Amino acid sequence: MRVTFTVNGREQQADDVWEGESLLYVLRERMGLPGSKNACEQGECGSCTVRLDGVPVCACLVAAGQAEGREVVTVEGLAEDGLSAVQQAFVDAGAVQCGFCTPGLLVAADDLLEHNPSPSDADIREGLSGNLCRCTGYEKILDAVRLAAARRGEGA
Amino acid sequence: MSDVTRIPTSLTQGSRTAGGIGESKLRPDGTLKVTGEFAYSSDLWHEDMIWGHTLRSPYAHAEIVAIDTSAALAQAGVYAVLTYDDLPARQKNYGLEIADTPALAAGRVRHHGEPVALVAADHPETARRAAAKIRIEWRELPLVTDEESALAPGAPVLHPDRTDDCADGQRPHVPHPNIVHRQPIVRGDAAAAALRADHIITGEYEFGMQDQAFLGPESGLAVPAEDGGVDLYVATQWLHADRRQIAPVLGLPEEKVRMTLSGVGGAFGGREDLSMQIHACLLALRTGKPVKMVYDRFESFFGHVHRHPARIRYEHGVTAEGRITHARCRIVLDGGAYASSTPAVVGNAASLSMGPYVVEDVEIEAVGLYTNNPPCGAMRGFGAVQACFAYEAQMDRLAAAVGMDPVAFRQLNAMSEGSRLPTGQRVDSPAPVAEILRRVQARPLPPERQWESAGGTADVRALPGGLSNTTHGEGVVRGVGYAVGIKNVGFSEGFDDFSTARVRLEAVGGEPVVTVHTAAAEVGQGGITVQAQIARTELGVARVVIAPADTRVGSAGSTSASRQTYMTGGAVRNACAAVREQVLALGRRKLGTYHPAWTTAELLLEGGKVVTDGGEVLADLADVLDGEPPVDVELPFRHRPTEPFDIETGQGFGHVQYSFAAHRAVVEVDTELGLVKVVELACAQDVGKALNPLSVVGQIQGGTTQGLGVAVMEEIVVDPATGRVRNPSFTDYLIPTILDTPAIPVDVLELADPHAPYGLRGVGEASTLSATPAVLAAIRQATGLALTKAPVRPEHLTGT
Ligand code: FES
Ligand code: FES
């Protein structure tokens, strides 16, 4: 089948998509957008988190056909002029080690800060609890989200 | 040589090269990683590529009576189906220390998930469906699952062809062929010393099978080359060791297997052994097409070795004053179906089994078994973890027996510089065991009932059970526990451990640029950051390029054993020093006539300039290099030699360096439901010298969290009746989320090791050791239960 949807503001199309293919597979393997990661493909780790019509979802659990005509934002769409506040904060705070969890965490953190610009630590932990990271022990990820919140606050 | 006649000036402040060692320089790959552009091994793509898939055994021990691949081959879109019979060379096995792992099952499988056949097809789903059409007739064989069944009379011998179990051809090194390796250590006279003990404390402990659970799945791309060789792009920990094992199975000389590191999504020991490397190459060579393989999470649990589960028995004696008199211990590590790095894990467990304590009279035995369980090998902490879990539990019980505070008891018995390990080796660098304990103890405790907000309501997110809203504080008790551990750094027991670095200095566009080329695997730990920092420090050049790691340069050894900053850092430093000498010689030749200091003073490179040790600038480096060929040096670096442990007594100078960490855990336990919330897990660690403080803290926190994981949730569960893995998914194998992980304050000490480059100590592993027993100790304190098994499960706490 053919699937057409908007990714990071641009309409994209994929042909010969098999019905069982996930949105994650289509993004990574057919649209040349490997930023969303394939750590479990079971909906457990959050590495593949993208926003579908503004709502964070695990792209590995969404059938590609379900995205038809909708809007998808991936980590590749976060940066506008240079890195976004959250991206820059992850780099600055040392929240990136192997970085495999990072794209999903960035999309989740971006969504969190959009809905809650000054989250408490407990809010951050709750907001990011669907994203596994095996390297960092999360301390620096918390630092990064706090930093991004502070910088976005200043910018506003 | 136009403007070289400039007048020497004094080096003003700030012209030293920024971004050198000791600074929290940010990682060079950070931006690519946050934009999603960084190419991990599962992101690789080739125009013409097809997909490889592995068919794995559903049985833990079975004979393959017949195998029929015709239906799979007939499926549209399938390019190749390979089994054992298609292996092209005489060499069909591989392995890190012992080549006992078949590339594809040879008529018999020894563990659940063993690779049996390979398929290459135009779509991953086509490959999966074709693999499902391979017909195999199995005959199940009796299982070997633990020490008892492995060593029972008449037990199936898992590796009958193993011949190296005899040390000298006469005397068996191991008492049974199902033992991979055995290391006794005998020192002093434990029986005599036991007579001085006022209390004898024995304990039996069990440590579960932990998984590295790196997030980036095993994956890579093999591209067949015109010369009949293959180019392999892969995530691994040691390119050259992979190649050494891959090439003979492909029937190729090593130089025809060219390897390039692709982005690595974490490793933690799980990428030391081969996974898809040989398979992808075989398929690529057979089909003549680039082949990509990516494991899904289910397959990943079968694609790499795990941490050895262990059964451990200790006996310690102690005097009424709190001095440890002697110890006896026996550590049984389940190595699973193939050897992997079990011999080295056994050596580590034995030699570090007394922990960072002075115990002169010991009888120790560690053994590693072959069983039909999943193969076990390297994981962060490497044999020291299991021992630390048990000896730290013993320390608390000994302290209680003599009525001492657990920290004071440990400090009284703590080793220090000059103390001896049970192997007889003296610790000849700082060993601040008492001090790191003091530091975690001195830290203020987190406030009680943190979850209670002003109005008396509870924020359930901070309580045991968290968002599942299982308690509002009733039935919740708090406990505090301590632990400390010792880990060896680098490869031990006489291994010729080295790393190689190639450093090039040249002028590019009128600016000096350094290129550092090594084969060291960056697995997320930040190795490339410190390599650049070292080059900046040594050559005084701001612009440092790190070339991709590949096999065109000499081996860097493994990114494991906390050794890569030490070893490749040392190699980069050596190569830089040689480059510096050549550049200064060049400068003397070209410019020496302009200033007498060129030949009389001690010269340094700083801020892109040649300066005297008095701070006088002699020339811009760019001018020295201008018009010259690049200065290019490749050099290996070795640490001081070690020696094997004696096979009977375990004596020997076996380890290069040690690393020490201590933890204090604060936990809250819901005693009704058996749920644990770790409130804080403070760590103090001596790192010798922090080359990059930000990364050092990140490593310590990451290691701490893996230790926390195996304390309260992480375990691969193998069904004892069938040998099958019950929980190969992130649904059932639990790793800590951000809600399970507490604040991890870190206290970094820098007591230089005089034998190491810059005085540094390997950082990555030590914190993994002590985190687990600290959490267990805290839960024991909270509940009063003995708790001898990690991970602790709710039923252990509720007695159900
Ligand atoms: S890859 Fe989608 S949740 Fe893990
Ligand atoms: S940085 Fe490696 S998984 Fe998060």
Side-chain angles (χ1 to χ4, degrees), chain B residues 102-128:
Chain B
L104 289 169
R108 175 188 185 187
V109 293
R110 295 178 180 82
H111 69 92
H112 178 204
E114 181 163 343
V116 177
L118 303 170
V119 179
D122 56 7
H123 189 287
E125 187 58 26
T126 315
R128 265 192 288 271

Side-chain angles (χ1 to χ4, degrees), chain A residues 18 21 25 28-30 34-42 44-45 47 75-76 78-79 83 86-88 90-94 96-103 106 120 122-126 128-142, chain B residues 26-27 30-31 33-36 38 40 42-43 45 49 51 123-125 129 210-217 264-266 268 292 294 297 379 459 461 467 523-524 694 697-699 701-702 705-706 714 729-731 735-739 741-744:
Chain A
W18 164 68
E21 264 173 41
Y25 184 87
R28 288 175 52 78
E29 305 296 340
R30 296 191 182 273
S36 311
K37 293 296 168 233
N38 52 326
C40 74
E41 300 178 67
Q42 295 169 324
E44 294 289 349
C45 74
S47 306
V75 69
E76 286 100 338
L78 292 185
L83 299 182
V86 188
Q87 287 172 315
Q88 189 64 52
F90 266 64
V91 175
D92 293 345
V96 180
Q97 289 187 16
C98 86
F100 209 82
C101 64
T102 307
L106 287 169
S120 68
D123 295 339
I124 300 173
R125 288 188 192 276
E126 184 180 349
L128 302 184
S129 59
N131 293 76
L132 296 176
C133 171
R134 189 53 159 170
C135 302
T136 60
Y138 303 105
E139 277 282 83
K140 303 218 175 291
I141 290 172
L142 273 167
Chain B
L26 298 178
R27 22 181 342 127
T31 303
K33 285 179 173 177
V34 297
T35 54
F38 185 80
Y40 293 91
S42 59
D43 300 334
W45 190 84
M49 74 187 193
W51 294 79
H123 189 287
E125 187 58 26
R129 289 181 181 189
Q210 190 180 14
D211 190 66
Q212 298 84 354
F214 43 72
L215 285 200
V264 185
F268 318 115
K292 179 168 167 174
V294 182
R297 184 53 52 180
M379 182 175 172
D459 184 342
R461 295 176 296 189
L467 290 164
V523 301
L694 186 70
V697 171
Q699 283 297 301
Q701 290 168 333
T705 306
Q706 292 188 341
E714 290 186 36
S729 72
F730 277 166
T731 314
I735 68 174
T737 70
I738 195 169
L739 274 174
T741 307
I744 306 172

Side-chain angles (χ1 to χ4, degrees), chain B residues 356-387:
Chain B
Y357 304 106
V358 178
V359 191
E360 289 291 341
D361 299 280
V362 298
E363 284 168 19
I364 297 160
E365 182 188 38
V367 297
L369 304 174
Y370 279 126
T371 66
N372 293 119
N373 291 324
C376 290
M379 182 175 172
R380 199 178 202 165
F382 204 82
V385 160
Q386 295 90 331

